[in-house]
Amino acid sequence: MTVERYPHLFQPLRLRGITLRNRIMQSAHAMAFNSPQGLTNNRDIHYHAARAKGGIGLMVTGNRLIHPTSNTFCRGYPYGYREEMVERDSALTQAVHGFGAHIFAQLNHFGVMGETHAMDDYRVLWSSSNIKSPVFGEMAKAMERSDMDEVVEGWVRSAEYARLAGFDGVEIHLAHSYLLHQFISPLFNKRTDEYGGSYENRMRLPLEVIAAVREKVGPDMVIGIRLSMDEMVPGGMQIEDWIQVAQTVEATGHIDYIMATAGVYQSATYIMPPYDVPNGWLVDPVARLKRAVKLPVFCVSGIGSAGEAEAILARGDADMVAMTRAQIADPDFARKTAEGREDEIYHCLRCNQGCVSRLFHGTSMTCQVNPATGREEVFGPQTLELAPAARHWVVVGGGPAGMKAAEGLAKRGHRVTLLEKAGELGGQVNHIVRLPRRDSFAWITEDLKVQMAKAGVQVKLNCEASVDSIRALQPDGVIVATGSLPDRSGYSDINPLVEQVPGLDAEHVFTALDVLAQPQRVGKRVLVLDEEGNRYSAGITELLVENGHEVHVVTRWNALFHRLGTTLDQPVVYANLFSRGLTYTLNAWLSRVRGTAVDLFNLYSGEEQTLEGFDSIVLAVRHLPLDGLYHALKAELPNVHRVGDAVVPRKTDHAIFEGFLAGREIFDNWKRYIEPGALEGFDGPIEAHRFT
């Protein structure tokens, strides 16, 4: 046990009538696990129970909606105002309490920061004023007094149902530009009546809600607030303003803690910051709040390690530290830390690809590095079974897919030999980490190295596999994870009748991987041809501009690097590129290369254009699978399978997931997929023994 290394982190915390066993928490976060009816289901219960079993002190459920006008942009959010939630949430709280953790219910109304199109009818958004969401653009109704009475009743009803269901506390959301924040802040509140204008008027509705909730739940239940420390918008409310809000609410005597956060939808990057925002970025403002109030203060700030959290607590900068994504990635984070097994922790990359981006695509949260997240019932550690008989498996390729397959097979008792032709493991990850602010991806490789070593995987580097060499190993099964390489043809499905763009065979034309391997070959003025619209093409562009190149991007898409919007890193990338003089052409593709000139055509008008003076052309385009060895092995040996980019090039989360399935020998296409709704059952209380 190494609790002694982190005495503050593993010190209990008393809040009103409960004692939290340590200072490790998950703050409220959207998961979209709930049923279309907004009810807690088994998927939600298994998710929370896994983290309770993993040793966490406190969890706060995300966004229990308190009124039918609190519309979100996708389904799967819980409806706290529905009486049916009491029975289902009782199963949730019993499962969490069975493992010694505590759980609060966050109660919220989105106000204008949603949209009504996810519903089966037509609804209206409510807000402090007639304003639009900067993200979804739907206008809200300026609330009437009767509307305010309804939302107060919604918070009261939802809090009472949470109490009856066994929650240890409720958290009232005053942050992230949701409804009560929309009343507090002049960014959103344009009213001229008694609920707008002065600070006292703007605080009126939030204080009414807090007082009504306290009156309903009585003196014994914990009540907290989630509060912004900075709106991160020029001219918006800053730390001094929010300290005043905190002191005003504290003076009522109705609340027990303050959960500090930051950001609004106009600055969504700071609501759940990607790795581009440094770890601990919000600690100083939180520390200022801590010293301005007497209540316990909880901190979010992208914290991913016990050492960081211990330092914050030791300085007295906060009373509890949220390591939310760290425990999305590894639900056993707290237990592994307490037991001195920190080397076994799967680290969060803060890439926002599984936990944030999927929500904007209208589906539920998961995790890039942990395929069991959100799928605990079918993929959690309690479901891992030893193989009926130990066999010898050969895995070809040491990228994310191959390493994950090798890990799983070895943990199930198989003898595993992994062959990697390069001198190091990592595959495509070794390219990703060389792009600006993507070094966190190295954790994929490092964590899987540890897991493979502990499971006994035999790794052979500098070993290029062939049919004969693999046959000589006498495998019972083979997993091919040979990856992919960039296509140099310039082909695009937006222009599918042109198989090869003329001129791309010139010496001054490079792929993104060429740039990483030999950056000195790239000339001063560069054209980047973007087929992807994601961090792959944005990353190579950033690398070039940071190295002093003059860059012009030509993209087939109607927005620059549009896929970064859902991972919340687009503003950071834009700021970096535009401040360095990036230029670009949208809705276009390449007709031909003629020396230093390129001919383009507009995809919609057909209008042609010539750009001149490029020393180099860089292709940020599709990859094609390296599948020759797979097909050769398939023809010669039984039980051969492929995973990751060797199947078809996609993102790392696809590769890791497929490696995970291969590690469990789940290959049957009729059985390997989780059908929609299969995780969302309702079968009564879920006892703790089902997780052991």
Side-chain angles (χ1 to χ4, degrees):
M1 300 285 286
T2 59
V3 172
E4 294 80 8
R5 290 181 58 195
Y6 306 112
H8 298 86
L9 191 61
F10 288 97
Q11 180 182 10
L13 176 65
R14 185 76 176 169
L15 280 180
R16 204 166 280 257
I18 65 171
T19 299
L20 307 176
R21 61 185 172 187
N22 56 50
R23 307 298 180 99
I24 302 171
M25 70 173 295
Q26 272 196 309
S27 57
H29 53 288
M31 297 170 290
F33 289 164
N34 297 79
S35 73
Q37 296 79 26
L39 301 179
T40 296
N41 55 28
N42 291 353
R43 187 177 200 176
D44 199 22
I45 296 170
H46 278 275
Y47 173 83
H48 286 93
R51 283 137 188 89
K53 181 184 177 185
I56 198 171
L58 173 65
M59 287 172 282
V60 184
T61 70
N63 285 314
R64 268 171 156 66
L65 307 179
I66 59 89
H67 191 270
T69 56
S70 183
N71 295 285
T72 59
F73 50 86
C74 70
R75 298 195 180 197
Y77 282 73
Y79 296 157
Y81 62 87
R82 297 191 61 171
E83 188 173 7
E84 303 96 314
M85 287 291 273
V86 175
E87 178 183 359
R88 294 303 305 155
D89 279 341
S90 294
L92 169 61
T93 59
Q94 288 171 28
V96 169
H97 292 154
F99 288 114
H102 288 82
I103 185 167
F104 299 165
Q106 185 189 75
L107 307 179
N108 189 28
H109 191 298
F110 268 49
V112 72
M113 299 306 171
E115 62 176 353
T116 60
H117 298 94
M119 308 306 294
D120 288 328
D121 56 12
Y122 292 99
R123 303 193 181 188
V124 61
L125 300 176
W126 286 1
S127 184
S128 59
S129 308
N130 292 128
I131 56 176
K132 292 183 178 182
S133 162
V135 177
F136 304 111
E138 187 172 341
M139 177 74 80
K141 169 192 175 183
M143 293 171 65
E144 304 171 51
R145 177 63 254 186
S146 59
D147 300 331
M148 297 180 203
D149 293 338
E150 281 195 35
V151 297
V152 172
E153 171 59 25
W155 255 287
V156 166
R157 184 184 303 180
S158 301
E160 175 64 3
Y161 291 158
R163 185 187 69 81
L164 293 173
F167 281 101
D168 302 294
V170 293
E171 181 176 281
I172 299 172
H173 208 325
L174 306 185
H176 293 168
S177 63
Y178 294 128
L179 182 64
L180 296 183
H181 188 157
Q182 290 162 30
F183 272 85
I184 294 171
S185 173
L187 281 183
F188 313 105
N189 190 335
K190 312 300 180 184
R191 302 178 74 97
T192 56
D193 62 2
E194 66 272 28
Y195 288 90
S198 69
Y199 170 76
E200 291 74 19
N201 285 355
R202 290 183 279 113
M203 286 296 298
R204 194 179 306 277
L205 181 61
L207 292 176
E208 289 177 3
V209 167
I210 293 167
V213 168
R214 173 54 75 193
E215 181 179 4
K216 185 64 177 180
V217 302
D220 298 328
M221 192 175 194
V222 174
I223 298 177
I225 59 172
R226 186 165 179 133
L227 197 70
S228 288
M229 288 294 91
D230 196 323
E231 292 179 328
M232 307 303 292
V233 174
M237 293 179 66
Q238 299 179 353
I239 177 65
E240 296 82 4
D241 304 304
W242 288 107
I243 286 176
Q244 182 184 14
V245 173
Q247 291 171 332
T248 298
V249 178
E250 180 183 46
T252 67
H254 295 322
I255 67 168
D256 302 291
Y257 73 88
I258 300 169
M259 177 84 243
T261 182
V264 291
Y265 271 45
Q266 287 91 338
S267 58
T269 294
Y270 297 97
I271 293 178
M272 200 164 181
Y275 185 72
D276 305 84
V277 178
N279 286 22
W281 69 280
L282 195 59
V283 171
D284 288 345
V286 172
R288 290 178 59 184
L289 171 67
K290 171 64 182 169
R291 287 158 177 77
V293 298
K294 297 181 175 63
L295 288 170
V297 171
F298 300 170
C299 175
V300 301
S301 197
I303 303 302
S305 73
E308 292 173 285
E310 174 69 19
I312 292 168
L313 296 167
R315 293 194 304 267
D317 291 344
D319 298 280
M320 202 150 195
V321 178
M323 288 182 276
T324 303
R325 282 173 287 182
Q327 291 168 101
I328 293 174
D330 194 332
D332 294 323
F333 176 93
R335 184 157 52 88
K336 289 178 179 178
T337 300
E339 295 174 358
R341 297 188 292 124
E342 289 179 84
D343 63 325
E344 296 181 23
I345 291 172
Y346 296 92
H347 290 79
C348 169
L349 313 183
R350 290 180 62 210
C351 62
N352 284 353
Q353 290 178 196
C355 54
V356 176
S357 181
R358 283 171 59 90
L359 297 174
F360 288 109
H361 290 290
T363 189
S364 55
M365 180 198 80
T366 185
C367 177
Q368 173 164 206
V369 301
N370 183 6
T373 294
R375 310 177 184 105
E376 286 81 5
E377 184 173 7
V378 295
F379 288 153
Q382 79 282 357
T383 68
L384 186 67
E385 298 179 351
L386 290 177
R391 305 294 187 189
H392 179 209
W393 281 84
V394 172
V395 177
V396 185
M403 286 190 290
K404 194 67 179 177
E407 173 203 32
L409 290 166
K411 284 184 174 180
R412 293 178 53 245
H414 291 300
R415 181 165 67 93
V416 181
T417 303
L418 187 149
L419 310 178
E420 168 55 49
K421 70 176 182 179
E424 60 180 343
L425 295 172
Q428 297 286 355
V429 170
N430 296 327
H431 303 308
I432 294 172
V433 298
R434 297 171 68 182
L435 299 174
R437 304 181 308 284
R438 300 305 264 181
D439 52 288
S440 69
F441 274 68
W443 281 120
I444 296 175
T445 306
E446 295 307 311
D447 291 344
L448 288 174
K449 280 182 183 177
V450 171
Q451 297 294 335
M452 288 194 303
K454 287 180 178 285
V457 175
Q458 182 184 19
V459 176
K460 295 184 177 182
L461 301 177
N462 299 304
C463 183
E464 186 161 2
S466 66
V467 174
D468 290 340
S469 67
I470 292 173
R471 183 189 286 113
L473 293 171
Q474 298 181 321
D476 298 296
V478 181
I479 305 294
V480 179
T482 44
S484 64
L485 284 176
D487 178 21
R488 295 176 177 268
S489 70
Y491 172 87
S492 172
D493 293 291
I494 202 70
N495 189 31
L497 297 180
V498 176
E499 299 287 342
Q500 173 76 47
V501 173
L504 286 184
D505 55 352
E507 291 185 355
H508 69 302
V509 178
F510 307 100
T511 69
L513 301 192
D514 294 333
V515 175
L516 294 174
Q518 296 179 298
Q520 72 280 1
R521 294 182 60 198
V522 182
K524 178 68 174 178
R525 191 156 186 262
V526 183
L527 181 140
V528 173
L529 186 65
D530 171 29
E531 168 74 358
E532 302 298 321
N534 58 16
R535 194 64 183 259
Y536 176 70
S537 47
I540 202 67
T541 302
E542 277 198 280
L543 184 68
L544 288 166
V545 299
E546 289 182 1
N547 287 341
H549 298 276
E550 299 173 10
V551 181
H552 185 91
V553 174
V554 173
T555 180
R556 58 159 290 191
W557 303 103
N558 60 6
L560 184 66
F561 309 136
H562 66 292
R563 298 188 191 278
L564 305 188
T566 62
T567 47
L568 305 183
D569 47 343
Q570 189 180 67
V572 179
V573 172
Y574 274 11
N576 189 30
L577 291 176
F578 294 156
S579 67
R580 297 171 186 266
L582 178 78
T583 58
Y584 58 94
T585 301
L586 305 178
N587 304 313
W589 199 245
L590 198 62
S591 298
R592 67 189 60 82
V593 174
R594 296 182 290 107
T596 61
V598 295
D599 296 331
L600 311 176
F601 66 97
N602 184 279
L603 297 173
Y604 302 102
S605 69
E607 182 179 352
E608 295 188 349
Q609 172 185 13
T610 297
L611 302 179
E612 298 181 339
F614 293 106
D615 303 303
S616 300
I617 296 167
V618 174
L619 306 177
V621 296
R622 67 175 186 172
H623 282 216
L624 294 174
L626 288 171
D627 55 7
L629 179 61
Y630 164 77
H631 289 295
L633 288 168
K634 190 81 170 175
E636 297 288 336
L637 299 175
N639 204 19
V640 176
H641 310 273
R642 55 176 167 165
V643 293
D645 278 9
V647 179
V648 61
R650 289 148 296 159
K651 297 189 296 184
T652 49
D653 47 4
H654 290 84
I656 292 170
F657 186 78
E658 286 180 2
F660 177 86
L661 293 181
R664 295 188 173 212
E665 297 177 69
I666 303 174
F667 300 115
D668 186 342
N669 286 326
W670 294 105
K671 298 177 181 178
R672 70 186 306 203
Y673 299 112
I674 301 173
E675 297 293 350
L679 301 173
E680 299 170 2
F682 301 89
D683 57 7
I686 299 179
E687 295 81 11
H689 71 80
R690 290 179 57 180
F691 299 91
T692 59

